[in-house]
Amino acid sequence: DADVTQTPRNRITKTGKRIMLECSQTKGHDRMYWYRQDPGLGLRLIYYSFDVKDINKGEISDGYSVSRQAQAKFSLSLESAIPNQTALYFCATSDVGDLNEQFFGPGTRLTVL
Amino acid sequence: AQSVTQLDSHVSVSEGTPVLLRCNYSSSYSPSLFWYVQHPNKGLQLLLKYTSAATLVKGINGFEAEFKKSETSFHLTKPSAHMSDAAEYFCVVSDRVGTYKYIFGTGTRLKVLA
């Protein structure tokens, strides 16, 4: 079984709808991250969480919110989806330590019409 | 502030010839550096990581990278390209203090010609 899972894998929605993307991990890591990937831009950090009570904005948090329900679960919400939020979204986890290698989920492809 | 620049957005090589994907970084502290690969419609897979133990880092599938502090570079190389190497490659820098956040390059798409 995969260590980092994301649901759904694909989602098509309409402008104005609320969407939740979920991430679960079995690696036992405290740190979790949400990124979005757009062609030609690489991955950009939306939110990150270093433990259940610690949530921080990344470089592109506007229009998004997150919830860390447990050590293993980190959800990303789009309160009112807009077309320019169409992207590939990745969840990642990492352990405490100075190397901070991150492990990525398979991604969720979101299309907002 | 950290930053990373991948100098080529697209690279084309013939099968069996060497691969060079270039990456320059900027970091206030001694950084951690990574290369990830993303095959079409797939997630990200770690190719290799720089841990400061050795400047020449060997990764999976025959890839390696050399950390050159004086040039602030971490270029990815492979002696002989294979068709299965066609993918997008991301260079990543992360500080070892503070937030440990990843900063991604914009990616280099590698095309391998038969």
Side-chain angles (χ1 to χ4, degrees):
Chain A
D1 288 340
D3 296 319
V4 185
T5 57
Q6 293 183 232
T7 55
R9 294 293 311 278
N10 288 282
R11 181 73 184 267
I12 300 174
T13 191
K14 294 182 179 180
T15 297
K17 294 290 188 181
R18 184 179 189 274
I19 296 297
M20 179 179 286
L21 309 182
E22 298 186 338
C23 176
S24 294
Q25 53 113 347
T26 59
K27 298 189 75 67
H29 290 168
D30 284 326
R31 298 177 177 183
M32 298 186 74
Y33 311 80
W34 275 105
Y35 295 89
R36 66 177 278 175
Q37 182 182 16
D38 298 279
L41 296 179
L43 276 75
R44 292 179 292 164
L45 184 63
I46 305 172
Y47 271 95
Y48 62 103
S49 171
F50 280 1
D51 65 41
V52 175
K53 296 181 180 179
D54 178 66
I55 292 178
N56 305 278
K57 292 182 178 180
E59 58 180 308
I60 54 163
S61 59
D62 287 349
Y64 301 95
S65 62
V66 291
S67 173
R68 184 81 184 267
Q69 300 95 325
Q71 186 204 38
K73 296 185 182 295
F74 192 36
S75 300
L76 176 72
S77 293
L78 288 67
E79 299 301 326
S80 179
I82 57 176
N84 77 359
Q85 292 178 313
T86 293
L88 187 55
Y89 290 84
F90 286 101
C91 174
T93 75
S94 69
D95 202 355
V96 176
D98 68 352
L99 186 59
N100 192 43
E101 177 183 342
Q102 293 185 19
F103 298 84
F104 288 81
T108 294
R109 186 168 296 281
L110 176 66
T111 302
V112 183
L113 302 176
Chain B
Q2 301 164 273
S3 65
V4 60
T5 302
Q6 292 184 242
L7 297 162
D8 306 291
S9 58
H10 293 82
V11 170
S12 292
V13 300
S14 297
E15 190 175 23
T17 65
V19 176
L20 170 64
L21 305 183
R22 298 182 294 166
C23 173
N24 286 107
Y25 71 91
S26 173
S27 178
S28 302
Y29 303 98
S30 179
S32 296
L33 291 159
F34 309 82
W35 276 99
Y36 283 83
V37 61
Q38 184 181 29
H39 290 277
N41 300 312
K42 300 288 186 183
L44 281 82
Q45 180 184 19
L46 180 68
L47 274 179
L48 51 79
K49 55 191 175 187
Y50 168 67
T51 65
S52 80
T55 56
L56 183 62
V57 181
K58 293 188 183 298
I60 61 172
N61 301 333
F63 284 95
E64 61 182 38
E66 187 172 7
F67 174 71
K68 292 187 176 180
K69 186 175 181 179
S70 61
E71 299 177 9
T72 61
S73 69
F74 190 57
H75 301 336
L76 182 70
T77 61
K78 183 174 181 178
S80 177
H82 190 272
M83 296 298 289
S84 61
D85 295 327
E88 189 155 25
Y89 293 79
F90 292 98
C91 182
V92 179
V93 64
S94 176
D95 272 339
R96 293 176 183 235
V97 295
T99 62
Y100 304 96
K101 289 187 290 184
Y102 269 19
I103 303 297
F104 279 80
T106 52
T108 298
R109 187 166 296 279
L110 176 65
K111 186 174 183 179
V112 182
L113 306 172

